[in-house]
Structures are given as C-alpha cells and as structure tokens.
Amino acid sequence: MIGIFDSGVGGLSVWREVALLLPEIDLLYFADQDYCPYGPRTLADIRQRVEKVTRFLLAQEIDMLVVACNTASAAALAHLRGLFSLPIVGMEPALKPAVEKTNSGKVAVMATPATFQGEPFGRLMARFASGVQVFVQPCPGLVEQVEQGDLDGPATLGLLHRYLDGLPAQGVDELVLGCTHYPFLRPAIEAVVGPDVQVIDPAPAVARQVRRLWERLDRTTLGIRQSPRFFTTGDMVRLRQQLRQLLGKEVAGEADVHAVSLA
Ligand code: DGL
C-alpha cells in the first residue's frame, strides 16, 4: 500500500496520476485539513506535524510514502528520511525541466512562502538556475481558495492576476506549479498568463518516480485494488464533496472516507 499525504486536497493532483500508473496498488490518502494551510507556518512547526502524520500512516502499514506537498517536503523530507526506513518520494518545484525548456531564459515558480524559505529550494536554485532568470512568486491564499472549492471565481482570479500579471510582459515563458494545490487552478492560471507561457505540473513525473520505486520493492499484490481510502483531520463530509469536485463522481462514490485526529 502506498500512503500519499498533503495538508489538504492538493496532493490529490499527485494521487490521480499515481492511481493511473499503478492501477493495482492500494492507495491511502491523508489530508491534514485541520492543520491546513502549512505554508504560513514555521518550518519547525511543519516538520513536527509531518512526523506525526507519517507515524499515523506507518501504523496503517504503508510500504511507501509520497509526500505530495511541496511545503512539507521543503520542511521535512530530509528529517523523515533520517527517521524512517521506508521509501519516501517527495516534491520539489520542477525548476530543472523549466530551465531546459525555456527559450527566453526567464522562468517563474509559484509556491507557498514556506517552500521558498526551505533549504531545498536554495539548493535547487544553486543547481539548476545558472544562466537563467528565475522569478520567485510566493502565492499566499491560493491553497485556501482550492480548499474552498473556488477554482475560477472572482476571488481566486483576483489573486492570480495579482501574482501573475507581470510575468508575460517580463518575458517569462515557463511557469512552474510549485504547490500540489495549483494544478487544480491550471485552467484559470493558463487564462491569466496567456498562450506564450507554458505551465509545468510535476505530478506525472512524480508518479513515474513512484512507479520506479514501487517496482524495486517487488511486492506481490492481489491484483485487485480495494476502494481507495481517504483520511482527513478535518470534516469527512466536506472531503467527500471535495473528492467529487476534484476527482469526479466515480472516485468520490467508491471512496472510503474517514475522519481522524492526531493527538
Ligand atoms: N499542497 C501544498 C504544497 O504543495 C500546500 C501547502 C499548504 O498547506 O500551504 O505546498
């Protein structure tokens, strides 16, 4: 079984890709919605919380963990790998493909404030950003809009205009979605930045990495997937509605949804 977690529903953008690539593997999704958003919190705070979430998932006997949250990965991935021996896949803003693809030499990254503060982003910049100009765009508020189900309403569009309007005029041609909530805003983001800016969602590449690691684990499975399981530290009725909005009626209909609290 693979455990996938995020502060909220953002990691579902990774869940849906993993579900597609590994149709026979049981998936357990954990949304830490009582503690969402992680982005404005301190890195130490996030690290502590994420350790608790991981201990909960280990108690459910997962074989592999996907930290489907850029913020949690920035704050805690190294910490988790030091503590636990199971394979862990994390997220990082897809700067490398953006730098490889750009024609103008100007790329932008959208993420939460905490993701940019984490040491991993500094390392990523040092590794891949030489010779290109990187526009770093913190986007407070967008996670909350996705959690509320507002994917293209006036409040969400207002934030997107505020954060993104300047980018095309400055010559940016690649835009990295550095938070797993943002792929659900992709149509609105593309409408705001226009056709000359390519949007990069790392979820399919992350799912391929999950599959590579899973194949190395060499687990036998029953070959039939159980109903997908979803846990939230928030409200399970609301999570079911969110599943319907973000993953569709079919997934929401067969989903096994639970509310849990982390002591
Ligand atoms: N989906 C999370 C990420 O990828 C959102 C973090 C938050 O809760 O602020 O960064």
Side-chain angles (χ1 to χ4, degrees), residues 6-8 10-11 36-40 68-72 91 112 115 143 178-181:
D6 179 37
S7 61
C36 185
Y38 284 177
C69 175
N70 290 76
T71 309
M91 306 289 303
T112 68
T115 296
V143 165
C179 166
T180 54
H181 280 75

Side-chain angles (χ1 to χ4, degrees), residues 116-194:
F116 290 127
Q117 282 153 25
E119 196 235 319
F121 187 72
R123 250 187 288 132
L124 206 61
M125 287 286 284
R127 227 171 127 202
F128 298 116
S130 65
V132 296
Q133 196 176 347
V134 179
F135 293 76
V136 164
Q137 182 57 63
C139 299
L142 286 184
V143 165
E144 290 89 326
Q145 293 308 114
V146 175
E147 289 292 321
Q148 284 162 25
D150 180 357
L151 305 184
D152 54 8
T156 297
L157 289 176
L159 286 173
L160 290 176
H161 279 294
R162 181 175 343 141
Y163 297 143
L164 305 176
D165 271 353
L167 298 177
Q170 282 169 299
V172 167
D173 65 352
E174 298 291 334
L175 175 61
V176 176
L177 305 184
C179 166
T180 54
H181 280 75
Y182 302 165
F184 292 114
L185 301 174
R186 187 174 186 149
I189 290 171
E190 286 177 338
V192 168
V193 295

Side-chain angles (χ1 to χ4, degrees), residues 21-104:
L21 278 193
L22 290 168
E24 293 178 356
I25 309 306
D26 286 327
L27 302 180
L28 193 164
Y29 187 85
F30 187 99
D32 193 10
Q33 291 177 300
D34 187 39
Y35 218 66
C36 185
Y38 284 177
R41 298 176 189 276
T42 66
L43 295 175
D45 226 18
I46 300 167
R47 201 170 302 134
Q48 219 176 34
R49 182 69 179 181
V50 163
E51 185 183 325
K52 256 190 201 169
V53 172
T54 304
R55 288 192 193 283
F56 172 84
L57 290 171
L58 283 170
Q60 314 306 310
E61 303 190 332
I62 58 167
D63 303 285
M64 186 191 295
L65 176 66
V66 182
V67 183
C69 175
N70 290 76
T71 309
S73 298
L77 200 57
H79 177 70
L80 294 180
R81 286 184 172 143
L83 279 180
F84 305 110
S85 61
L86 84 170
I88 303 178
V89 175
M91 306 289 303
E92 62 179 21
L95 197 56
K96 184 172 178 240
V99 168
E100 283 167 0
K101 284 185 190 155
T102 180
N103 292 317
S104 66

Side-chain angles (χ1 to χ4, degrees), residues 181-222:
H181 280 75
Y182 302 165
F184 292 114
L185 301 174
R186 187 174 186 149
I189 290 171
E190 286 177 338
V192 168
V193 295
D196 298 334
V197 180
Q198 301 309 308
V199 172
I200 301 179
D201 169 12
V206 170
R208 288 194 294 275
Q209 170 67 0
V210 171
R211 183 171 61 183
R212 270 192 293 275
L213 282 186
W214 182 265
E215 283 167 355
R216 260 190 249 159
L217 272 181
D218 206 16
R219 290 272 191 282
T220 49
T221 64
L222 293 175

